[in-house]
Amino acid sequence: MIERDRLSVEEGARIHADLEAALATGEGILAAAGSALDAVQAVVVALEESPRFNAGKGAVYTADGAHELDASLMEGHSRRAGAVAGVRTVRNPIALARAVMDHSPHVLLVGAGAERFADTQPQIARVDNAWFDTRTRHAQLLQEQARERQAQAVSLKGAYFGTVGAVALDLHGHLAAATSTGGMTNKRYGRVGDSPLIGAGTWADARVAVSGTGWGECFIRCAVAHDIAARMAYGGACLEEAAEAVVMQAVPALGGDGGAIAVDVQGNIAMPFNTAGMYRGWIARDGSRGTAIFGA
Ligand code: ASP
């Protein structure tokens, strides 16, 4: 969980700087008339490379002390999508998700099969699983395991930090969304959350692009990303109403928590969250920009 009293001023400043650098990467691509898809991928790669977010280098630990990474992306106007789950040696899982979209007839590849597919893609950087080790995440694993022993129960609620995502609208009027995560600390048995599931953690169509973060089991059961799009398509809701209804009502109604980022084809942005904070950054159509961690 992101909590105000646990975040030092210095660490907060580093997070803002990483968010701003990632935004600038996406901005450069969009300003040069690049695609929303390329922009969201590049932004997510930048965030995967930072140890401060739960994706790529900063991925959390599984119960057996390893890292299993999930990622997905989707392009709105073409409805093309790619995703991977449970990968262990892929430095940038979002790049492998893109390769699944571009170079395979499939949408979602998992585990050993996804690794074998990565073997056929020379552009995909590979690392030992231990490359993802960080002291901070290891301390979080030990803390979570101690909490679990004390509670004598298995619970993942609250055991996640900082999945990354990006949504973009390009100069051609096209939308895209991308999401990448290490999942939840102390996860077992090949557990996969919402992030690599199209419709749950990621969605894009001609109207809206959405990326979510939160307790994945609830996000799957609410089909969060697609539900936001569906409320707009079938219910006539505007982006803000749709995103608020799903994140502030539907997810908490199942006992879940988290947030989402979304952009619609008019360039409206929504970033609701029902937790104390959610790392986020934005550049609006009028050029106004910002990064933030906590609520008002
Ligand atoms: N939604 C992710 C998952 O359940 C975790 C997160 O967003 O931090 O795997």
Side-chain angles (χ1 to χ4, degrees), residues 54 70 160-163 181-184 191-195 212-217:
N54 174 19
D70 308 329
Y160 50 80
F161 303 81
T163 285
T181 191
M184 294 179 96
R191 178 267 185 193
V192 172
D194 59 308
S195 306
T213 177
W215 187 3
E217 278 69 10

Side-chain angles (χ1 to χ4, degrees), residues 58-266:
V60 297
Y61 283 77
T62 65
D64 1 299
H67 309 273
E68 293 174 357
L69 295 86
D70 308 329
S72 65
L73 44 67
M74 185 167 190
E75 183 176 61
H77 69 289
S78 67
R79 293 279 188 106
R80 294 192 312 143
V84 294
V87 294
R88 291 171 163 252
T89 68
V90 176
R91 177 169 171 152
N92 297 113
I94 200 68
L96 187 60
R98 177 70 182 268
V100 172
M101 175 201 274
D102 286 346
H103 305 302
S104 92
H106 306 300
V107 169
L108 171 61
L109 299 180
V110 305
E115 301 277 346
R116 281 207 306 281
F117 174 69
D119 295 344
T120 71
Q121 301 294 308
Q123 80 281 16
I124 299 295
R126 309 296 283 277
V127 290
D128 283 340
N129 194 249
W131 182 82
F132 298 105
D133 288 352
T134 58
R135 280 176 31 194
T136 316
R137 296 298 184 211
H138 195 247
Q140 288 168 356
L141 174 67
L142 298 181
Q143 200 184 8
E144 182 55 25
Q145 291 180 332
R147 195 192 64 75
E148 188 180 288
R149 273 193 301 278
Q150 224 169 18
Q152 292 191 321
V154 179
S155 156
L156 285 174
K157 188 169 164 65
Y160 50 80
F161 303 81
T163 285
V164 309
V167 293
L169 168 67
D170 65 27
L171 290 172
H172 316 285
H174 295 156
L175 293 157
T179 311
S180 181
T181 191
M184 294 179 96
T185 299
N186 206 28
K187 64 185 182 180
R188 296 177 167 79
Y189 311 127
R191 178 267 185 193
V192 172
D194 59 308
S195 306
L197 301 184
I198 298 302
T202 301
W203 179 260
D205 58 25
R207 194 176 275 114
V208 64
V210 184
S211 170
T213 177
W215 187 3
E217 278 69 10
C218 295
F219 273 54
I220 294 171
R221 291 161 61 211
C222 286
V224 163
H226 185 263
D227 192 22
I228 292 173
R231 286 170 193 257
M232 296 172 71
Y234 314 138
C238 71
L239 174 69
E240 199 183 333
E241 289 162 356
E244 287 277 323
V246 175
V247 171
M248 309 310 277
Q249 291 165 30
V251 170
L254 292 189
D257 52 9
I261 56 170
V263 63
D264 70 14
V265 73
Q266 275 90 43

Side-chain angles (χ1 to χ4, degrees), residues 270-294:
M271 297 181 290
F273 52 96
N274 58 40
T275 47
M278 180 174 80
Y279 303 146
R280 58 205 188 278
W282 64 92
I283 303 174
R285 239 186 170 164
D286 63 5
S288 61
R289 64 197 294 145
T291 58
I293 298 179
F294 298 103

